[in-house]
Amino acid sequence: MTKKPKILFIGPTPPPYSGPELSMQQFLESESLNSEFDIQFLKTNFRKDNTKKGKLDLSMLSNFFIFFSKLLKLLISKNPNCVYYPITPTQIGWLGRDVWTILLSKLFGAKVIIHLRGSHFKLNFKEFNSIVKRVVGFSLKKVDCGIVQAAYLKDQFAPYIPLNKMAVLYQAMDIEEFSPNSEIPIEKGKILVMGHMTKAKGYTDILKIIPDICSDFPFAKFYFAGNIRKGERGVFYNQFTGEKIAYEDPFEVENTILNSEFKDNYINLGIISGNNKMEHLQSSDIFLTASYSEGFSRSLLEAMAIGKPAVFTPVGAHREVFENTVHGYSFVPGELDGLKNALKTMLQDEVTRIKIGLTNRSHVVSRFSIDTISEDFKAIILKVLA
């Protein structure tokens, strides 16, 4: 009997229940991948709160040594044929773990596949210290395959990783778990937003247009699921335009709404998960994401899988897998008039909302099921091993 190739997966798993963590869990549980490979796993995240991601403190330093001792042990004892590792887009992330994970894995003879779950490494890299650029560039040259979440993002690691060593892997969705439920009624005018409540996620932009939207559509209510976070720890550029994002304090902008006549049109749900999250997704009328940068928004795909119409920014994979007016209405991140027009168009036409929702469900089932994406991932790994 032929032995299965040994693959070491390195990355985060829930909690927190964000895109990278949930995607890693999907791969680890994939029947297709487990039948083909002998999978070992090394967990990278030690924080259960998204607000503390990327924060340099004593716990991060201690976990640096714990992580690399575990990695060294696995490389020696398991001798993996390949290491799969989602990288970070930040300078501190590369210096703190990414560079050394790549080089140590190569030192022990493993093929290395890195995965960028975002769309802003290239822009961030321009701001790296010159010495750090050299170190990062050196490690990238050792990589056997770079995975991105959209075809037009294949140049994210240029010139260090050539295009023939780049691959595209879209977001995967559990189409059974995220499916329409007719028993939960839709709340007319319920606009759901999920994710970090920061400037880079478009949170402050959405708050600014609430008065205009709700003056014309008093029944509209904006529900925000996530945590408000000061500062930015990874996204500093408008990925669509390339311009630097002008930071705004989300707490200050929120206070403006809370002290206005439209305070009842704003609902802060905090972090939601499980049945609570599913109920809000099912009962929403429109799903909204106003992010300045994404690889492929998991929450957007979840809403579309459930059959929700969407208003979204054409960043990351969105611009090549979703079509304006077919899967929803798109607008350039940061352009408030575009955001307002997209929402107003959607709010005034229930028939169109229903039609787009049905289209979205069909689109996700046909292109982004776990089975489909796992097969694509398996093909990428096998090509690297070959």
Side-chain angles (χ1 to χ4, degrees), residues 305-319:
I306 286 175
K308 299 301 174 183
V311 172
F312 60 94
T313 48
V315 293
H318 306 171
R319 70 166 74 178

Side-chain angles (χ1 to χ4, degrees), residues 69-126:
S69 64
K70 289 181 178 179
L71 174 59
L72 187 61
K73 183 178 179 180
L74 284 168
L75 290 171
I76 294 172
S77 63
K78 301 300 181 181
N79 190 26
N81 303 99
C82 181
V83 169
Y84 164 73
Y85 177 62
I87 56 93
T88 63
T90 64
Q91 180 169 266
I92 190 172
W94 273 91
L95 275 183
R97 189 163 60 202
D98 297 355
V99 165
W100 319 116
T101 299
I102 293 169
L103 295 180
L104 194 58
S105 299
K106 292 299 294 184
L107 181 64
F108 281 84
K111 301 278 189 178
V112 173
I113 300 173
I114 62 171
H115 194 165
L116 176 63
R117 304 195 63 85
S119 60
H120 42 271
F121 171 79
K122 190 174 182 179
L123 288 170
N124 286 1
F125 185 73
K126 293 179 180 179

Side-chain angles (χ1 to χ4, degrees), residues 181-229:
N181 184 352
S182 59
E183 294 182 1
I184 299 178
I186 294 172
E187 298 176 24
K188 184 180 179 181
K190 179 176 180 176
I191 300 165
L192 181 62
V193 185
M194 296 178 65
H196 305 315
M197 293 147 74
T198 65
K199 172 65 176 182
K201 286 290 186 180
Y203 172 68
T204 57
D205 292 344
I206 298 170
L207 294 186
K208 289 177 185 177
I209 58 93
I210 288 178
D212 195 349
I213 296 295
C214 296
S215 293
D216 292 346
F217 302 91
F219 59 87
K221 288 192 175 182
F222 290 76
Y223 288 73
F224 293 87
N227 43 25
I228 302 180
R229 192 168 77 186

Side-chain angles (χ1 to χ4, degrees), residues 63-355:
N63 277 278
F64 171 89
F65 294 104
I66 294 171
F67 168 78
F68 280 106
S69 64
K70 289 181 178 179
L71 174 59
L72 187 61
K73 183 178 179 180
L74 284 168
L75 290 171
I76 294 172
S77 63
K78 301 300 181 181
N79 190 26
N81 303 99
C82 181
V83 169
Y84 164 73
Y85 177 62
I87 56 93
T88 63
T90 64
Q91 180 169 266
I92 190 172
W94 273 91
L95 275 183
R97 189 163 60 202
D98 297 355
V99 165
W100 319 116
T101 299
I102 293 169
L103 295 180
L104 194 58
S105 299
K106 292 299 294 184
L107 181 64
F108 281 84
K111 301 278 189 178
V112 173
I113 300 173
I114 62 171
H115 194 165
L116 176 63
R117 304 195 63 85
S119 60
H120 42 271
F121 171 79
K122 190 174 182 179
L123 288 170
N124 286 1
F125 185 73
K126 293 179 180 179
E127 302 293 326
F128 284 15
N129 175 278
S130 59
I131 296 176
V132 176
K133 283 183 180 180
R134 292 180 185 178
V135 175
V136 172
F138 177 79
S139 66
L140 284 172
K141 288 180 180 179
K142 304 296 181 183
V143 168
D144 296 278
C145 177
I147 297 176
V148 287
Q149 293 185 291
Y152 80 95
L153 295 173
K154 281 186 173 183
D155 68 345
Q156 285 290 297
F157 302 112
Y160 305 105
I161 303 179
L163 290 179
N164 65 342
K165 288 189 176 183
M166 295 296 299
V168 176
L169 191 67
Y170 291 132
Q171 186 74 267
M173 187 51 48
D174 186 335
I175 57 176
E176 300 301 325
E177 179 184 4
F178 291 89
S179 60
N181 184 352
S182 59
E183 294 182 1
I184 299 178
I186 294 172
E187 298 176 24
K188 184 180 179 181
K190 179 176 180 176
I191 300 165
L192 181 62
V193 185
M194 296 178 65
H196 305 315
M197 293 147 74
T198 65
K199 172 65 176 182
K201 286 290 186 180
Y203 172 68
T204 57
D205 292 344
I206 298 170
L207 294 186
K208 289 177 185 177
I209 58 93
I210 288 178
D212 195 349
I213 296 295
C214 296
S215 293
D216 292 346
F217 302 91
F219 59 87
K221 288 192 175 182
F222 290 76
Y223 288 73
F224 293 87
N227 43 25
I228 302 180
R229 192 168 77 186
K230 271 197 173 187
E232 301 293 349
R233 300 203 185 107
V235 180
F236 307 104
Y237 290 89
N238 183 327
Q239 187 258 322
F240 189 85
T241 66
E243 298 172 351
K244 200 153 190 175
I245 299 172
Y247 178 74
E248 292 176 304
D249 187 327
F251 290 99
E252 290 181 4
V253 183
E254 182 193 41
N255 281 335
T256 302
I257 284 294
L258 293 177
N259 293 309
S260 74
E261 61 182 291
F262 301 99
K263 62 182 180 181
D264 292 334
N265 299 96
Y266 168 84
I267 297 92
N268 184 342
L269 299 170
I271 298 174
I272 59 174
S273 60
N275 291 333
N276 189 24
K277 171 184 170 180
M278 189 61 72
E279 287 175 6
H280 279 291
L281 276 167
Q282 295 284 358
S283 63
S284 64
D285 202 4
I286 298 168
F287 186 84
L288 168 62
T289 173
S291 291
Y292 281 72
S293 182
E294 291 281 357
F296 196 150
S297 169
R298 181 179 183 84
S299 58
L300 174 60
L301 202 61
E302 289 174 347
M304 287 183 165
I306 286 175
K308 299 301 174 183
V311 172
F312 60 94
T313 48
V315 293
H318 306 171
R319 70 166 74 178
E320 68 185 40
V321 299
F322 302 133
E323 187 177 345
N324 185 34
T325 73
V326 174
H327 302 106
Y329 294 97
S330 67
F331 65 97
V332 175
E335 292 192 359
L336 300 191
D337 286 340
L339 169 56
K340 287 188 288 188
N341 291 337
L343 278 175
K344 288 180 179 180
T345 302
M346 192 76 86
L347 282 166
Q348 66 191 7
D349 192 344
E350 183 179 5
V351 173
T352 296
R353 293 200 300 274
I354 294 171
K355 179 182 177 181

